[in-house]
Amino acid sequence: MDWNDLGKQVIAAGAPLLGTALGGPLGGAAGNILAQALGSAAPTPAAVQAALPAADPQKLAEAEAQWIETIRAEAETQRTAISETQATIRAEIGSDDVVQRWWRPAYAWELTLECAALWAVLIHEFWTGDVATINALVGATALLVTYWGFRFGVLGVYIGGRTREKVSAATGQDAPGAIEKLVKAVVKKK
């Protein structure tokens, strides 16, 4: 997505509400900047279409410059946030804290033992023919699927995070995540 094109579309439409819907807070900011340039509190698309041809080019240029500065400020904020997050991650990786190094493996082992225990109970109940316990387990299927879906999802995030930490420690650079890899693959195809 080209943010410059989005900004021009939002400014052309002219409604801060439409800008927010299309471009989030930055789109809403573009709509507000245009409203100020045209001297209107909340221009409608029809009013903007009528006012744009007669608008002072200097005011429109100032609005565009203000829009660009808003995007730069947002980008700088995001850069700072990412930089601080990476510094925190590096500090955690470099620490010799036992909890930091062992909590993921402990979580994985505990979850594995938990699943094995349920299977042992289930097989025992089938073996002994305890229909009441089997029915109770079948009745709790939705709860167990939700519970373990969440637990295994968290474990998957942990595993992916640990892999990225190891790659970062080995290479000195942050390893791209799955979404970043997907975005790069899509961008390369265009």
Side-chain angles (χ1 to χ4, degrees):
M1 172 179 282
D2 185 5
W3 288 102
N4 217 2
D5 289 342
L6 177 64
K8 288 178 183 176
Q9 290 172 3
V10 170
I11 288 175
L17 184 61
L18 179 61
T20 301
L22 290 175
L26 285 177
N32 287 330
I33 290 167
L34 178 65
Q36 290 173 356
L38 295 176
S40 174
T44 63
V48 170
Q49 292 296 332
L52 273 177
D56 180 15
Q58 180 63 28
K59 285 189 176 185
L60 290 178
E62 289 172 7
E64 186 175 354
Q66 188 177 358
W67 167 246
I68 291 170
E69 190 55 40
T70 302
I71 290 174
R72 281 191 185 128
E74 178 64 21
E76 180 61 27
T77 301
Q78 291 301 319
R79 188 193 67 73
T80 302
I82 290 169
S83 176
E84 292 296 321
T85 301
Q86 291 298 319
T88 302
I89 289 171
R90 280 190 218 93
E92 287 178 358
I93 290 171
S95 74
D96 288 331
D97 184 21
V98 173
V99 175
Q100 176 67 23
R101 287 180 294 159
W102 288 101
W103 71 283
R104 289 182 184 129
Y107 183 89
W109 280 109
E110 185 277 327
L111 185 55
T112 302
L113 293 174
E114 189 177 309
C115 291
L118 180 72
W119 277 107
V121 168
L122 190 59
I123 289 171
H124 178 266
E125 301 312 318
F126 274 122
W127 186 267
T128 61
D130 185 0
V131 177
T133 303
I134 294 170
N135 284 338
L137 288 172
V138 168
T141 300
L143 174 66
L144 292 173
V145 166
T146 303
Y147 171 74
W148 276 329
F150 173 76
R151 296 281 312 268
F152 279 105
V154 169
L155 182 61
V157 170
Y158 291 163
I159 290 169
R162 183 64 183 140
T163 300
R164 288 183 70 182
E165 287 173 0
K166 288 179 180 179
V167 170
S168 292
T171 63
Q173 296 178 347
D174 187 29
I179 294 175
E180 190 175 345
K181 288 178 184 176
L182 179 64
V183 168
K184 285 182 180 179
V186 169
V187 169
K188 283 182 183 178
K189 290 183 180 181
K190 287 185 175 183

